[in-house]
Amino acid sequence: MSTTGISSQKTERISRPGTGRLIGVDIARGLVVLGMFVAHTGPPQSWLFGLVSGRSAALFAVLAGLSIALLSGGTAPVEGVRRRQVAVRIAVRAVVLFGLGLVLSMLDAPVMVILTSYGVLFLLALPLLRLRARTLGVLAGVLAIAAPLASYLIRDAMPPAGEFGAIPHLGDFTSWSGAAAAFQHVLLDGGYPVLTWLPFVLAGMALGRIDLRAARGPVALLGAGLALAGYGGSWLAMNVFGGREQVLASYGDALPPELVDVLLSRGFGAVPTGSPVMLLSAGAHSGSPFEVVGATGAALLVIGLCMFVERARVLAPIAAVGALALTAYAGHIVLLAAIGTDGLMAMQQTAPHLTWLLLTAIVVVFAVVWRALLGRGPLERVLHLVSAEPAARIGR
């Protein structure tokens, strides 16, 4: 993912569009970060919140896969010693990100920290580094349908591990039972379950295996088609072919229709196992086939469009944010933890849009200044340093 600081040596250099660094990808990364600010602090009733909710996180994952592919050779996957070196770099960064995610979760910010799941996703990507774009794309398509169905069947046959949609904390690993529950959350029923998020990473890896500048138009068109199929197909299934009525009937008097509609519009990482019809929804973070397909399409559309506008100087500040995405992500969690849930709610009631606007202004200014003076971001620099040396030892 972009926020991990994973990028190829080619994409880590500061350069102009048309040279090594894909500035359009940086713009997409920056939009992800700014979209998360809205998703984490914006008023839930606003159209902007509805636009970014779920889709920003999915774009994170697609960009993660894209970055992994670029690091491992881009259009020509690396072989031999070089592939082993890349695998070590990715594995080390995955472990660091997993640990960083646990630390950030301890702050109890009003945010579901995604980094623990991302660490596991990077490890799962290691056996796939040699695959080409077509194979990765096919795998992503198959898993977009099969993984949510498998998740539903597995979770329906086993007891939940505590709170649905939970995020692992460092304290979970003080006992075997806690660790087992934490990994169940990471893999199946947490806020970002790996089983249903792997298709996003695979789709991003497929993107990284093609000439993205040359294919930006087809990528954007494919994304628009997938978004229409995912979200449009779900709307037809739920509102035209009676899916919503079946879900309401399955809950009976246990939940009012208004609350059921909330469950259909926004999930907690995976579809509840109360009714199989819930798999027809496409709500944010629902983890249904329709949501995975639609969110993947939205991500491809954004990336394709960003490649078209990478020469626009007005977007340079957003690209700077994207180049420091991990630092921006971790920094905003620390800041929100300092504000606290009660403080954030008070700010939202007083001035609903103020928090995310302030976050945006602070991060954009910081990123532009840091990028101009020091280049690679602080956390991005740490990830590079801790992973480069072990990788360099391979083949000596």
Side-chain angles (χ1 to χ4, degrees), residues 54 57-58 61 114 118 121 191-202 269 285:
I114 199 171
Y118 270 41
L121 284 167
Y192 303 99
V194 165
L195 181 57
T196 49
W197 278 72
L198 186 57
F200 296 132
V201 176
L202 294 177
H285 296 287

Side-chain angles (χ1 to χ4, degrees), residues 317-371:
I318 297 179
V321 173
L324 275 70
L326 177 59
T327 297
Y329 177 81
H332 101 282
I333 290 178
V334 173
L335 181 58
L336 292 181
I339 296 173
T341 302
D342 293 339
L344 179 60
M345 292 179 63
M347 293 177 68
Q348 289 176 332
Q349 292 173 359
T350 304
H353 298 280
L354 179 61
T355 307
W356 73 265
L357 287 173
L358 284 175
L359 272 174
T360 298
I362 292 170
V363 168
V364 168
V365 171
F366 173 82
V368 169
V369 173
W370 185 285
R371 187 73 175 152

Side-chain angles (χ1 to χ4, degrees), residues 66-86:
L66 195 157
S67 298
I68 290 171
L70 293 177
L71 180 63
S72 57
T75 58
V78 292
E79 299 289 345
V81 173
R82 179 61 182 144
R83 185 167 62 212
R84 293 197 294 273
Q85 291 174 333
V86 169

Side-chain angles (χ1 to χ4, degrees), residues 28-53:
R29 290 168 175 160
L31 290 176
V32 166
V33 173
L34 302 184
M36 278 200 321
F37 293 170
V38 177
H40 294 162
T41 66
Q45 69 275 12
S46 71
W47 67 268
L48 188 57
F49 179 91
L51 179 66
V52 302
S53 183

